[in-house]
Amino acid sequence: MKIDLTNIPPDGKYIEFNFSPDWWNPDFKNDHIIGLSMPLSGWIKLHYFAKKVAVEGALSTTLKLRCDRCLEPYDKPLSTNFKFFLSVTPYAGDLDIKLSEEDLNLIFIDGNYLYIDQIIKEQIILNTPMKTICSVNCKGLCPVCGCNLNFETCSCAKKLNTIK
Ligand SMILES: [Zn+2]
Ligand SMILES: [Zn+2]
């Protein structure tokens, strides 16, 4: 889904979106996010504000994350709002899109087009914690035999103790 930034009406452009879980592309590489467990829905609005484009929106879905400790997938609801500005300056009759300080990571602009999917993906990643834990009580994997200590018990810890 792309929007021509040279063609935003004076009262702005409003788009609602609704993606099925398979929208999440495995190419969107992120170690923690496996995919979506629920459809993704939300809206985005673009309008000119002085010489900038204001981008506002909201999204909600349920993420399927991988636990850092036990490596099992788990669901985490996500609901977030966002707002930022893109700096644009007229150049040779065309728009020259400049990166604003707030957004150094503008992978979602190509020429005069703004890629909505990339903005949404970026927001999802920004709202995913650096450390993903399925539960504060997650026992993780045994460092010796690799079994999931949430579901299994092993005698590795005992053996280690007897060696000491
Ligand atoms: Zn876990
Ligand atoms: Zn073990």
Side-chain angles (χ1 to χ4, degrees):
M1 211 173 18
K2 63 181 183 179
I3 290 174
D4 185 349
L5 286 172
T6 59
N7 192 22
I8 297 173
D11 57 345
K13 197 167 180 71
Y14 179 82
I15 301 149
E16 283 184 12
F17 54 84
N18 212 315
F19 299 132
S20 62
D22 62 13
W23 169 82
W24 186 268
N25 192 315
D27 289 347
F28 294 172
K29 284 211 174 65
N30 181 288
D31 290 347
H32 295 115
I33 305 172
I34 300 168
L36 307 178
S37 298
M38 299 265 288
L40 168 73
S41 63
W43 57 270
I44 194 160
K45 189 180 177 189
L46 306 171
H47 65 273
Y48 275 98
F49 182 81
K51 282 184 176 170
K52 292 178 167 189
V53 180
V55 182
E56 283 181 78
L59 63 91
S60 71
T61 185
T62 297
L63 302 178
K64 190 179 282 297
L65 302 179
R66 189 181 305 283
C67 176
D68 277 338
R69 282 188 200 160
C70 68
L71 307 180
E72 289 293 319
Y74 69 101
D75 284 352
K76 185 170 191 294
L78 169 69
S79 197
T80 185
N81 291 292
F82 53 91
K83 183 172 185 174
F84 56 87
F85 294 95
L86 306 173
S87 297
V88 281
T89 47
Y91 173 73
D94 216 340
L95 276 179
D96 179 26
I97 314 294
K98 277 196 194 165
L99 307 188
S100 61
E101 287 159 26
E102 309 96 273
D103 295 284
L104 299 170
N105 195 13
L106 283 189
I107 49 170
F108 36 80
I109 286 185
D110 181 18
N112 293 333
Y113 291 101
L114 188 64
Y115 286 84
I116 301 298
D117 296 55
Q118 292 293 335
I119 292 177
I120 299 166
K121 176 204 155 196
E122 185 90 345
Q123 288 301 321
I124 290 173
I125 291 174
L126 283 174
N127 284 281
T128 302
M130 296 294 288
K131 253 197 130 28
T132 49
I133 304 293
C134 65
S135 143
V136 287
N137 299 318
C138 176
K139 297 189 184 101
L141 302 178
C142 168
V144 179
C145 70
C147 78
N148 185 338
L149 298 173
N150 296 311
F151 306 124
E152 296 172 58
T153 45
C154 61
S155 49
C156 298
K158 264 186 225 157
K159 281 180 203 157
L160 281 178
N161 284 337
T162 49
I163 292 168
K164 273 182 217 164

